[in-house]
Amino acid sequence: MSGLYFGTLAVLMLAAFFAVRSRAQALANVAAAPGMRDVRYSLHSLPIYHGLLAATLVLLPMLIVFAVGSPIVIKMAETQALARLPAEVVSDELSRGAALRDLYNILTGKFQGEASAQLKGAAEALRSATSYGNWIVFAIGVALAAAALFFSIGHVSSDFRARNSFERIVKMVLFACATVAVLTTIGIVFSVLYETLRFFFDPALKGRPTVTDFLFGTEWNPQAALRADQGDIKTAFGFIPLLTGTLLITLIAICVAGPLGLLSAIYLAEYATPSFRAWAKPVLEILAGIPTVVLGFFAALTVAPLIRGWGESFGLDIASESALAAGLVMGMMIIPFISSLSDDVINAVPQSMRDGAYALGATKSETIKQVILPAALPGIVSAFMLAISRAIGETMIVVMAAGLAANLTFNPLDAVTTITVQIKTILVGDQEFDSAKTLAAFALGFVLFFFTLILNVIALIIVRRYREQYD
Amino acid sequence: MDAIVANPSSATAAAHVMPGSGFKVSARDCNVYYGEKHALKSVSVDIPDRSVMAFIGPSGCGKSTFLRCINRMNDTIPICRVTGKITIDGQDVYDQSLDVVQLRARVGMVFQKPNPFPKSIYDNVAYGPRIHGFAQSRAELDQIVMTSLEKAGLLKEVKDRLTDSGTSLSGGQQQRLCIARAIAVSPEVILMDEPCSALDPIATARIEELIDELRSNYSIIIVTHSMQQAARVSQRTAFFHLGTLVEEGETGHIFTNPNDKRTQDYITGRIG
Ligand SMILES: Nc1ncnc2c1ncn2[C@@H]1O[C@H](COP(=O)(O)OP(=O)(O)O)[C@@H](O)[C@H]1O
Ligand SMILES: [Mg+2]
């Protein structure tokens, strides 16, 4: 059915485009004839704009009718079909859903076993109501499209401003796309915010913490909530261990990636031959494309045992899951963000800066240290910020390599856990959605979002403040 | 008899043979190649001390290339190769034992587009003295910065805002800042590559005045596209064409009575 609908739509659009364009072209030909060369007769808009406008006028109503009509048809058909079933079946949400699934299975021939006559009747009703409704949608759509088509043909004239109207429609479509993107972001933020507020303030929620407990508590133990009936294990939603875990791992990662990334960027931008740079840079960027799950098991299966082995040879007892292993591998993951972006900003420093320093007798390393890096600093800082927010938001590597234990520690050899890992742990598996434990994920998500937002804002401010230092 | 009918340039050529005869910079048979491209062909010229020499010629004729040979800025271009001999006070610039850092402290350079560092005005001027370790104390450095700004005719305009960014100045002020920056390392030679081509007429006039003042202490070489400018600021002029030095002599002579047809064509606007 939708195939027919969109096929017709395409045909009507093409018809509108060519019919209206050729009509406009005919007018243009008349205007171009000898003796008619006069602004009063010439076309305001090129024929192609008349055609495009007509095609758009056909497209828009048909799309709208389909988008609005189809859900209505389905809803009405289902209501009619369910009305034929016994009242106890349709009384609650669950059995209503099951019945509908049965009906659709009968219609597609996938129903297991022998269906009752009543069920078959309902299925038949569903089918006929759906097809009846679809035909009505089709008729309305085609009628509107035809109206648009005739309207457009009738409107072709030398002073009809088709170009301006078409441009206006293009602008509106673009605006609509931008609006959707922005609204989605706002929607996500508000839904997370809403659940977060419920987590803290919903009186119906058992075991919810106060905001202070959450923000300053030093014990994280959401699991206890499940077993609250088995004894009085105290549920704990103290967020501090997660924060320290996240900061510890991010710090290790930046200690690895900061120097390595920045120094390799300097090498690539200032010392490497063009041919070396031409292949080394893409290779570095591939590192950013490795799925973090792969890096995660590399961390857990290769790096962590290595660290453990080293530790043993020094007589240290290192957990097989450690912040160090996760941080090291995460550092590797963010090297390309730092190196590639820094390389770009260093290259963007104008050659005249280098010439100025060389001409004063500065050596290459003096020039880099005292002139190029300060000039490139805003860009480098924002590269670091981007890398840090990537590190804070990273989950898989930490899940695999750093463990789940919410230890409040700054010892990189201990197992720690992070905000993202706890969100994942809380939500994995079948959960009832209304427990304090599940809603805690939203609170964590909100905090995470808040952190990365702050980082991005700082980066933006730095970049904006220093932007016009050279041009 | 034949020996007497020698052309006037061979008389100068004879003078060239003796180094250290009052000339600051001397080039002999200087060739520059960018990869395969032969950009500068066998240029020989003498540049006197404490005066201004102008290089003129159509775009792409090798003026900048030659200028950049004198302070070895061409070293920073990997494909560039220089042959021949250039001396400053008789000392070979391309000698293995010569340190390019010290050479560039003796030969300052000012570029076409003002290129102050994104640092404060003070730090811009102090940059050279700092990397060469010229000042033993902060007071001494202050002294160098102030004198350089003074000599570049910029001190009055910026003395209350030395901590402002050098890039916050106007184009003409930025160029004078770059001149102050070059002067701060007390060079003997100052190379200027079209220093006024990005400036308005008033800023240009200011720089030209400045060049005239600096002449009493430095040997200045200026590349310019404006023949009026060459006539106004320089004592000697060299005309380059297609990588060769066509003619060199007193500015008044070059502009009124050139020996070569190509020079004649250029200054009358027939090649450009
Ligand atoms: N970095 C470079 N690489 C290759 N060729 C160059 C380079 N710089 C200059 N050239 C070439 O050398 C010639 C002389 O250039 P240049 O000295 O800049 O001329 P001018 O300053 O007189 O306009 C030109 O043909 C130019 O294309
Ligand atoms: Mg040039």
Side-chain angles (χ1 to χ4, degrees), chain A residues 86-157:
Chain A
E88 68 270 17
V89 176
V90 294
S91 58
D92 75 303
E93 189 80 37
L94 266 177
S95 59
R96 215 164 32 218
L100 277 176
R101 225 165 316 151
D102 282 346
L103 294 182
Y104 281 114
N105 280 342
I106 292 173
L107 289 184
T108 51
K110 280 188 285 193
F111 189 73
Q112 308 286 325
E114 190 56 38
S116 70
Q118 194 179 33
L119 217 47
K120 275 185 180 158
E124 178 52 31
L126 177 62
R127 194 194 58 75
S128 68
T130 310
S131 104
Y132 183 64
N134 279 342
W135 278 112
I136 291 179
V137 169
F138 182 76
I140 296 176
V142 170
L144 284 180
L149 178 57
F150 286 114
F151 174 82
S152 309
I153 292 179
H155 254 72
V156 177
S157 73

Side-chain angles (χ1 to χ4, degrees), chain A residues 35 66-67 71 131 138 181 186 204 212 225 298 311 363 366 368 435 455 458 466:
Chain A
F66 188 82
S131 104
F138 182 76
I186 294 178
T212 357
F298 173 67
T363 63
E366 283 168 344
I368 292 169
S435 71
L455 280 177
I458 293 175
Y466 293 98

